[in-house]
């Protein structure tokens, strides 16, 4: 048995195998040490997503180099192998068009950086916090705690709204008031409400815009600004304060008019 | 009025004490290593009350509560005044036109915050008044600031002395060849150091606002210790933020002169 092993390693095949194992080991050690060095030196300097991409590049780059080296050691002709690989790539390419599209979209997303991990984004009707940006898809956590995977291709093709990019947001409140109400009085009342609400920003100043006449009242919009994190608090407190102020000032919100419908007359065949 | 109202607080077991500092009212009670803070604020920033550590029998009737657990029963809780955690926007009542090569001095009081420390560790901080938030600058490069409750005068003597409202000396210099219309500017409170003079009055570092070109934003310089007003003052609280971390602010230290 021992003689067989000694003969095997003394032969050309055995020597090649031994060298291959050593090269794989060196490659593995290289991947680990370079990845660790990259992680420790660049974690604070690069974004999480760029670091992730760099680590993948290191891993796959060294793996390909190790693979080609071993193939040459084992006596494979690289040109024939590349030819076969080309045919295989075409075949796989046809079969994985969607994945390739997602992959390329992912690279564009990482380069363009329209959002980052932790941002709140809106894609179509979907709103969620970005958990990860991977090469094929992004992962979102919706406000009702659902995990959603969105393919990168969809992100590239859709309108994406980043709700976390700017520190302040505007809240637009649309209202309809009776024709008989005094607009100056309403404006003064609303501006006083905003001035007394600690969440409303002093600047940019609140905006009072009359949209026009409606069927049963005057439409207008009252817009105020707040810190992004406090927007939902503002929605509640502003509406509460406005209702309270309107009640004190006897300002009436227009009620929608309901048109009574004539009862359907049953058709009787005579 | 006490010269220095900040520092270590020690209370007997279950003792309850109340502080009234301007619009802020708070009480502290100690149970063993646990301290309970209860506080509320008036809506008027000009409310002028000042009484310290008055023993009381019952908790405040209203307010929010905070609890601190210190490392041992005998540890003191330290109260320390802190400057605002964001810049303050100063609006002039009527826009001020400063002639070329002209300069003007202001003394501006702002409302600060109180920090509660265990040794050097900040446990919590509360504002003396809920300042209104505001935005300074354009939407892309501006920053969130505080808007309200400041008082500015051109002479220090005309500012009411209140030991809980620090005074910031400000110099606006128009170095351009055009008239500078001064409507508003910001005071970089997180970059300023808080000082106290011998009478216990609080001051901050001096701020210089330089206008070299009226089409550009005012250049802000912070001058530590060089002002005569501050030369005899002791440091109460260091700046929250190093100046090099702040956008648009250039550090000018007396040592570098």
């Amino acid at each position: 048995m021992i003689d067989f092993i000694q003969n095997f390693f003394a032969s050309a095949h055995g020597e090649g195998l031994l060298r291959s194992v050593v090269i794989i080991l060196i490659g593995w050690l290289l991947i680990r040490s370079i990845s660790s060095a990259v992680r420790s030196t660049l974690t604070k300097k690069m974004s999480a997503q760029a670091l992730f991409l760099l680590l993948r590049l290191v891993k796959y780059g060294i793996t390909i180099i190790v693979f080609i080296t071993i193939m040459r050691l084992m006596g494979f002709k690289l040109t024939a192998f590349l030819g076969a690989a080309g045919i295989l790539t075409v075949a796989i390419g046809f079969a994985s068009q969607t994945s390739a599209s997602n992959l390329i979209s992912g690279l564009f997303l990482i380069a363009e950086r329209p959002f980052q991990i932790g941002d709140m984004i809106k894609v179509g009707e979907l709103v969620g916090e970005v958990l990860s940006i991977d090469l094929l898809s992004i992962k979102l956590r919706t406000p009702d705690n659902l995990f959603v995977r969105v393919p990168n291709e969809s992100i590239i093709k859709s309108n994406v709204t980043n709700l976390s990019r700017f520190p302040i947001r505007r809240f637009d409140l649309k209202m309809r008031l009776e024709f008989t109400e005094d607009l100056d009085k309403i404006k003064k009342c609303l501006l006083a409400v905003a001035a007394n609400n600690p969440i409303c920003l002093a600047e940019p100043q609140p905006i009072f815009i009359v949209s026009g006449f409606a069927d049963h009242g005057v439409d207008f919009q009252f817009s105020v600004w707040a810190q992004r994190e406090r927007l939902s608090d503002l929605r509640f407190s502003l509406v509460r304060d406005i209702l309270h102020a309107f009640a004190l000032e006897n300002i009436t919100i227009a009620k929608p008019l309901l048109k009574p419908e004539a009862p359907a007359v049953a058709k009787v065949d005579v | 009025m006490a010269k220095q109202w900040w520092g270590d607080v020690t209370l007997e077991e279950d003792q309850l004490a109340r502080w009234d500092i301007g619009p802020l009212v708070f009480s502290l009670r100690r149970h063993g290593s646990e301290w309970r803070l209860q506080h509320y604020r008036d809506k008027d920033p000009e409310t002028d009350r000042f009484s310290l550590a008055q023993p009381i029998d019952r908790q405040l009737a209203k307010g929010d509560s905070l609890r601190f657990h210190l490392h041992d029963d005998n540890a003191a809780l330290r109260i320390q005044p802190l400057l605002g955690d964001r810049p303050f926007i100063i609006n002039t009542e009527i826009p001020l036109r400063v002639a070329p090569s002209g300069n003007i001095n202001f003394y501006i009081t702002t409302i600060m915050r109180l920090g509660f420390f265990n040794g050097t560790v900040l446990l919590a901080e509360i504002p003396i008044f809920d300042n209104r938030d505001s935005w300074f600058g354009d939407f892309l490069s501006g920053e969130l600031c505080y808007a309200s409750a400041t008082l500015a005068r051109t002479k220090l003597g005309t500012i009411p002395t209140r030991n809980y409202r620090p005074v910031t000396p400000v110099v606006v210099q128009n170095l351009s060849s055009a008239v500078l219309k001064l409507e508003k500017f910001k005071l970089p409170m997180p970059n300023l150091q808080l000082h106290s003079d011998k009478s216990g009055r609080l001051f901050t570092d001096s701020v210089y606002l330089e206008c070299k070109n009226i089409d550009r934003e005012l250049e802000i310089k912070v001058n530590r210790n060089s002002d005569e007003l501050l030369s005899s003052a002791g440091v109460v609280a260091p700046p929250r933020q190093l100046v090099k971390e702040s956008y648009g602010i250039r550090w000018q230290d007396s040592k570098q002169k």
Side-chain angles (χ1 to χ4, degrees):
Chain A
M1 183 66 185
I2 294 168
D3 289 343
F4 172 75
I5 295 169
Q6 279 177 343
N7 291 335
F8 178 75
F9 282 115
S11 69
H13 285 301
E15 198 184 326
L17 190 69
L18 200 64
R19 283 184 178 182
S20 303
V21 171
V22 171
I23 289 168
I24 290 171
L25 203 66
I26 291 170
W28 179 73
L29 283 172
L30 270 176
I31 290 172
R32 287 203 61 173
S33 54
I34 294 176
S35 300
S36 157
V38 165
R39 209 175 276 124
S40 59
T41 52
L42 298 176
T43 301
K44 287 182 181 173
K45 293 175 186 168
M46 293 176 88
S47 69
Q49 205 50 50
L51 189 69
F52 170 80
L53 192 67
L54 188 62
L55 290 172
R56 284 290 156 98
L57 279 174
V58 168
K59 186 180 172 184
Y60 293 128
I62 295 174
T63 307
I64 289 168
I65 292 167
V66 167
F67 182 72
I68 291 170
T69 313
I70 291 171
M71 288 292 117
R72 289 184 68 178
L73 263 178
M74 302 293 277
F76 285 96
K77 285 186 177 172
L78 209 59
T79 45
F81 177 75
L82 286 176
I87 295 164
L88 193 69
T89 308
V90 171
I92 293 172
F94 275 115
S96 60
Q97 278 182 39
T98 314
S99 300
S101 169
N102 279 324
L103 188 77
I104 293 163
S105 303
L107 291 174
F108 278 119
L109 273 183
I110 289 165
E112 193 185 358
R113 295 206 298 175
F115 46 79
Q116 293 179 337
I117 291 168
D119 282 358
M120 192 64 99
I121 63 166
K122 186 177 178 188
V123 187
E125 293 300 309
L126 187 71
V127 175
E129 180 195 347
V130 180
L131 297 178
S132 71
I133 307 167
D134 298 325
L135 286 173
L136 294 180
S137 63
I138 66 159
K139 275 82 178 182
L140 297 180
R141 189 186 71 81
T142 62
D144 54 345
N145 220 20
L146 297 177
F147 180 87
V148 185
R149 176 188 177 276
V150 187
N152 286 339
E153 195 185 357
S154 315
I155 300 279
I156 289 286
K157 284 180 179 170
S158 339
N159 291 333
V160 177
T161 310
N162 188 338
L163 305 174
S164 307
R165 178 57 68 92
F166 299 118
I168 56 170
R169 295 262 312 268
R170 198 177 82 179
F171 171 50
D172 296 335
L173 187 64
K174 289 176 178 158
M175 282 178 266
R176 181 171 294 173
L177 296 178
E178 299 281 356
F179 285 120
T180 49
E181 295 296 346
D182 179 354
L183 282 181
D184 286 329
K185 183 178 159 189
I186 295 166
K187 185 178 178 183
K188 197 176 163 190
C189 176
L190 289 175
L191 292 178
V193 166
N196 290 321
N197 188 317
I199 306 174
C200 286
L201 297 187
E203 286 187 36
Q205 290 178 351
I207 309 165
F208 179 87
I209 307 166
V210 175
S211 318
F213 293 112
D215 286 345
H216 46 277
V218 179
D219 281 344
F220 64 89
Q221 178 182 312
F222 186 57
S223 302
V224 294
W225 292 81
Q227 280 187 65
R228 185 183 67 224
E229 298 84 4
R230 303 183 77 184
L231 198 68
S232 49
D233 292 339
L234 176 74
R235 283 197 182 108
F236 170 76
S237 62
L238 191 74
V239 171
R240 178 199 61 199
D241 295 349
I242 287 174
L243 288 175
H244 189 235
F246 279 4
L248 286 176
E249 298 282 338
N250 290 321
I251 297 170
T252 317
I253 294 175
K255 293 177 183 67
L257 290 177
L258 297 174
K259 290 179 183 172
E261 281 187 15
V265 180
K267 286 182 180 177
V268 181
D269 289 328
V270 181
Chain B
M1 195 178 281
K3 279 186 179 175
Q4 183 179 312
W5 52 269
W6 54 92
D8 288 347
V9 175
T10 47
L11 292 178
E12 298 295 320
E13 178 73 16
D14 271 335
Q15 191 187 349
L16 186 62
R18 169 185 169 136
W19 282 254
D20 290 60
I21 300 177
L24 174 71
V25 176
F26 70 91
S27 69
L28 282 169
R29 169 173 256 163
R30 186 176 73 81
H31 302 279
S33 304
E34 187 180 306
W35 292 67
R36 182 167 289 207
L37 166 73
Q38 199 180 359
H39 63 97
Y40 66 85
R41 278 169 289 274
D42 278 358
K43 288 190 173 178
D44 181 9
E46 296 306 317
T47 306
D48 185 21
R49 288 180 298 224
F50 198 78
S51 71
L52 304 171
Q54 299 291 320
I56 51 172
D57 299 329
R58 283 195 291 179
Q59 290 277 5
L60 302 180
K62 58 180 178 178
D64 299 325
S65 294
L66 290 168
R67 289 162 73 191
F68 312 122
H69 193 88
L70 307 191
H71 57 83
D72 74 69
D73 290 5
N74 298 320
L77 188 70
R78 187 159 59 87
I79 300 175
Q80 186 182 302
L82 297 171
L83 290 175
D85 54 345
R86 284 191 228 137
F88 270 78
I89 298 176
I90 313 297
N91 288 293
T92 54
E93 209 168 0
I94 301 168
L96 185 69
R97 289 165 195 271
V98 185
S101 307
N103 65 63
I104 183 162
N105 291 290
F106 288 112
Y107 295 94
I108 299 172
T109 68
T110 50
I111 288 198
M112 52 184 193
R113 302 165 75 89
L114 286 187
F116 295 86
F117 289 78
N118 179 18
T120 54
V121 178
L122 177 66
L123 301 167
E125 62 175 270
I126 54 173
I128 287 181
F129 177 73
D130 275 325
N131 286 297
R132 209 168 158 207
D133 297 331
S134 190
W135 186 257
F136 189 88
D138 63 42
F139 287 104
L140 295 180
S141 61
E143 70 177 314
L144 205 59
C145 301
Y146 288 123
S148 54
T150 57
L151 177 73
R153 294 283 183 271
T154 50
K155 286 181 182 170
L156 182 62
T158 55
I159 288 198
T161 307
R162 290 176 186 168
N163 278 12
Y164 52 89
R165 291 190 73 147
V167 178
T168 304
V170 177
V171 180
V172 180
Q173 292 178 307
N174 184 7
L175 303 175
S176 74
S177 54
V179 174
L180 168 68
K181 189 180 175 192
L182 194 65
E183 284 174 294
K184 66 176 176 181
F185 55 89
K186 67 176 176 186
L187 277 186
M189 303 314 284
N191 305 106
L192 304 183
Q193 194 164 250
L194 185 63
H195 310 263
S196 140
D197 68 7
K198 285 174 185 169
S199 69
R201 193 168 189 185
L202 293 165
F203 291 93
T204 72
D205 294 327
S206 304
V207 174
Y208 287 78
L209 301 167
E210 281 184 3
C211 173
K212 290 177 180 166
N213 184 340
I214 57 161
D215 297 326
R216 290 188 185 169
E217 229 177 87
L218 292 172
E219 196 172 283
I220 304 172
K221 287 181 181 177
V222 177
N223 202 350
R224 190 186 284 179
N225 293 335
S226 67
D227 199 293
E228 284 177 17
L229 198 69
L230 303 175
S231 58
S232 61
V235 174
V236 176
R240 289 172 182 264
Q241 225 177 312
L242 291 176
V243 174
K244 64 179 180 182
E245 292 171 1
S246 307
Y247 175 75
I249 295 175
R250 214 169 71 190
W251 181 253
Q252 186 184 2
D253 201 304
S254 55
K255 289 176 187 171
Q256 293 170 353
K257 279 187 157 183

